[in-house]
Amino acid sequence: MPRTTQSRRCRTIAVLAALAVLLGGGCARGRTPIERGTREQVLYRSLSADLTDLDPQLVTGLPGINVASALFEGLVAEDPVDLHPVPGVAERWDISPDGRIYTFHLRADARWSNGDPLLADDFVASVRRALSPELGATSASMLAVLKNAAGFAADHDGKARFEDVGIKAIDPHTLQLTLEHPVGSMLSQLCHPIWFPVPTGVIASCGPLTGRTNPWTLPGHFVGNGPFTLKSWEHNSLILVVKSPTYWDAAHVRLNAIRFIPAASVDAEERAFRAGQLHITEALPVAKIDTYRNEHSPALQISPFLDTYFYRINVTKPALNDARVRRALSLAIDRQTLVQSVLRGQQQAAHAFTPPQCEPGYAPPELAVDDPAAARRLLAEAGYPNGTGLPPLELLINISGNHQLIAEAVQAMWKRELGVDVRIVAMEQTAALAQRSLLAYQILRSDWTADYANDALAFLKVFAGNSGDNHTGWKNADYDALLAQAERDTDPGRRADELRRAEAILLEQAPLIPIYHLTTIRLVHPSVHGWHPTLLDHHPYKAIWLEP
């Protein structure tokens, strides 16, 4: 072949190769993460905050529950459409006629992610760990429905026997729970992570069984029993979970992996979605809601949500230890303006702690009204007319979401109506939670989603004197007594009245300030299937898949 012809052919091949890179290979390299993820069944989901732990007995808040529900499964699971209880590790169960004894028959093919069988004794050992004071599990009070569990957890003298707690392995695949009293929502409660089994043998091999810094949840040590298992965890960057081959229902899990990505801010989430880096955002900037709504974007999802946005008040701090000051702060907020002009996401002003759709037949007392004149009178009665003499207050928020925008609006209302100076302090979520647990704050941005079902008690128990979720320093014996009555009462009308009286005490004493009842406002890419709007914003990942 002549050299000129060969050179010409080489140049032609080079040009064609370059075109191939531009038209084919270049596009391959330029495909977005969600296009690749959709093709490979890898879900990209944002989290509103990074996690401090993946231990299901220690997680708090939706970000932790979102990840824990992928890595673990309890006796009972949730239906993806309406979250009604469905079989999980237990393939079936029996309930005694008096509603106090639940007998669960575990699946013979239930396995931990290391291949070991998952047995009834694992659930017994997990409950014992969760009840231990050394672990200090925030949600351990939920286990008090078990017979003698509260007494065992409160015993510091070693006299109480765990064998007397109402949980027993009848045989390797049969577990029996005995309750203090009938609980109508018991099956739904079992979907909470505090009831998930943990691999106590693995935990003990990594360090103290009840040590909060035990590294067993880190990659290389982690063992779970859910549809996914932990592959990698880069703090503030990525939690990668992959399909578990040992999960009993692995054949029906269609996703191969989930990439949980903590969001630096709600604006960063929205930008990442537009750039093809997320299938699902956790939230949406307030300023962008109308844009997506006006464009009729199929990605915009606004759904009802059993969640209340509120401010906790540390009643152990000077001035804030006066209920009149706390009530004044609550009454001075113009909630209607806040939800209509600031939030713009179909939220509802909160005049009580429990959401309006919380429980059929329950009508909460609406005492957190917008009444600046009454607020000024209460503040004057407390000795601070027009805010005179009241030292500046600090409002602690976490930096994700739209919290800064809301805090600035409330700050302006308190200044205008009461003459109160408030300084906004913003921290990462993990730092804010640490301040909360130490009661090292004055006013704290919070929200609460029902742990289970649509039960008003799931909200009101947060502020019980023995609740690990209280974090205000507030206790009230009458309030606790009414909750205890309601928990045992089988008459719906009488129970609703007891809960209503309890909530009235809570709102009058005001260790919290309800702000608004949430909706979930997020972006969901049309390639996501099996994702349903639910009142608790839980989404079983084994039911989700991706299609172009």
Side-chain angles (χ1 to χ4, degrees):
M1 182 184 294
R3 183 178 296 275
T4 55
T5 303
Q6 186 177 13
S7 298
R8 190 180 302 115
R9 174 171 287 186
C10 287
R11 285 196 301 272
T12 301
I13 291 172
V15 170
L16 291 174
L19 284 172
V21 169
L22 288 172
L23 300 177
C27 289
R29 284 199 302 273
R31 286 195 182 108
T32 64
I34 65 164
E35 288 174 322
R36 292 194 302 272
T38 300
R39 187 174 66 252
E40 298 167 1
Q41 292 298 315
V42 178
L43 179 71
Y44 286 68
R45 175 172 184 181
S46 178
L47 294 176
S48 61
D50 194 22
L51 305 187
T52 56
D53 210 312
L54 297 180
D55 187 329
Q57 296 181 342
L58 297 178
V59 297
T60 57
L62 272 178
I65 292 174
N66 284 334
V67 181
S69 65
L71 297 171
F72 297 89
E73 182 176 77
L75 294 163
V76 177
E78 294 173 313
D79 178 84
V81 177
D82 63 5
L83 304 182
H84 75 263
V86 297
V89 176
E91 60 185 352
R92 59 188 176 86
W93 51 81
D94 307 307
I95 306 174
S96 65
D98 66 358
R100 292 185 62 237
I101 301 175
Y102 287 66
T103 304
F104 294 91
H105 305 277
L106 310 190
R107 300 178 187 277
D109 55 351
R111 293 283 185 277
W112 293 104
S113 56
N114 64 359
D116 290 346
L118 175 57
L119 305 174
D121 278 330
D122 292 316
F123 283 92
V124 176
S126 298
V127 166
R128 182 169 193 159
R129 176 179 183 259
L131 286 172
S132 66
E134 296 82 10
L135 183 67
T138 298
S139 300
S141 59
M142 289 186 68
L143 303 175
V145 297
L146 294 175
K147 183 180 178 181
N148 297 324
F152 177 81
D155 177 53
H156 298 289
D157 300 323
K159 295 179 180 178
R161 301 187 324 136
F162 181 74
E163 291 73 17
D164 295 329
V165 174
I167 183 168
K168 179 169 60 174
I170 304 299
D171 61 47
H173 293 99
T174 308
L175 181 75
Q176 190 173 86
L177 303 183
T178 301
L179 310 186
E180 285 281 3
H181 51 80
V183 178
S185 60
M186 188 63 207
L187 291 175
S188 292
Q189 290 193 38
L190 291 173
C191 299
H192 189 277
I194 194 66
W195 291 97
F196 291 172
V198 294
T200 53
V202 172
I203 298 171
S205 71
C206 294
L209 183 61
T210 56
R212 293 180 69 93
T213 58
N214 187 312
W216 76 273
T217 57
L218 297 179
H221 299 291
F222 180 85
V223 172
N225 76 310
F228 298 86
T229 190
L230 183 67
K231 178 69 172 178
S232 64
W233 183 9
E234 304 165 25
H235 279 289
N236 296 308
S237 178
L238 172 69
I239 300 172
L240 174 61
V241 304
V242 297
K243 181 177 176 179
S244 174
T246 65
Y247 178 59
W248 67 268
D249 200 23
H252 293 103
V253 178
R254 298 171 69 171
L255 290 176
N256 288 319
I258 306 171
R259 297 176 71 92
F260 293 102
I261 303 169
S265 70
V266 69
D267 296 287
E269 280 188 275
E270 193 270 338
R271 288 194 300 270
F273 184 89
R274 283 191 286 110
Q277 297 170 354
L278 287 174
H279 285 105
I280 302 169
T281 69
E282 189 64 20
L284 185 63
V286 168
K288 295 293 180 73
I289 294 174
D290 285 345
T291 300
Y292 281 91
R293 186 186 277 140
N294 294 336
E295 291 174 353
H296 304 288
S297 170
L300 178 64
Q301 288 197 6
I302 301 178
S303 310
F305 188 20
L306 278 182
D307 194 323
T308 299
Y309 191 104
F310 66 99
Y311 288 159
R312 274 183 170 87
I313 301 181
N314 184 349
V315 305
T316 69
K317 296 296 184 182
L320 296 175
N321 58 7
D322 189 326
R324 294 170 297 184
V325 173
R326 303 194 296 266
R327 284 275 289 149
L329 292 172
S330 179
L331 294 171
I333 296 175
D334 185 349
R335 294 166 175 81
Q336 207 58 45
T337 295
L338 193 63
V339 298
Q340 290 179 350
S341 302
V342 178
L343 294 168
R344 307 180 65 78
Q346 299 178 11
Q347 298 90 344
Q348 185 171 344
H351 298 122
F353 184 43
T354 52
Q357 73 273 40
C358 188
E359 181 174 345
Y362 179 72
E366 298 194 340
L367 299 180
V369 294
D370 309 348
D371 192 341
R376 287 189 287 272
R377 286 196 299 271
L378 279 171
L379 198 62
E381 287 176 18
Y384 307 107
N386 299 316
T388 303
L390 185 68
L393 300 175
E394 283 191 355
L395 170 57
L396 176 59
I397 65 171
N398 53 299
I399 59 175
S400 61
N402 296 299
H403 308 314
Q404 182 76 32
L405 188 68
I406 297 165
E408 288 172 355
V410 172
Q411 177 190 46
M413 293 172 187
W414 282 341
K415 181 64 175 177
R416 182 182 68 243
E417 302 295 349
L418 300 177
V420 174
D421 290 319
V422 175
R423 184 168 70 95
I424 299 170
V425 179
M427 294 182 179
E428 292 282 352
Q429 173 80 338
T430 52
L433 291 178
Q435 297 295 96
R436 184 187 73 175
S437 64
L438 295 170
L439 282 184
Y441 74 90
Q442 289 182 303
I443 305 172
L444 174 68
R445 196 258 6 138
S446 302
D447 71 280
W448 184 261
T449 307
D451 282 324
Y452 53 88
N454 53 339
D455 186 346
L457 193 59
F459 279 83
L460 298 179
K461 284 181 72 173
V462 173
F463 291 97
N466 66 346
S467 170
D469 296 303
N470 190 322
H471 302 299
T472 62
W474 180 79
K475 293 183 180 181
N476 184 283
D478 293 336
Y479 180 80
D480 290 348
L482 285 165
L483 294 188
Q485 286 176 239
E487 192 169 34
R488 289 161 172 76
D489 210 325
T490 56
D491 181 273
R494 193 167 56 231
R495 182 180 188 272
D497 179 64
E498 289 155 356
L499 292 174
R500 192 177 299 110
R501 287 159 57 199
E503 188 163 11
I505 293 172
L506 181 69
L507 297 173
E508 286 284 358
Q509 290 291 304
L512 82 159
I513 299 174
I515 308 293
Y516 63 92
H517 303 300
L518 282 80
T519 52
T520 53
I521 309 167
R522 60 160 53 95
L523 300 173
V524 179
H525 194 273
S527 62
V528 179
H529 294 261
W531 178 279
H532 303 279
T534 66
L535 281 175
L536 301 185
D537 199 26
H538 294 177
H539 305 276
Y541 296 106
K542 64 183 286 184
I544 294 173
W545 75 98
L546 301 167
E547 287 184 11

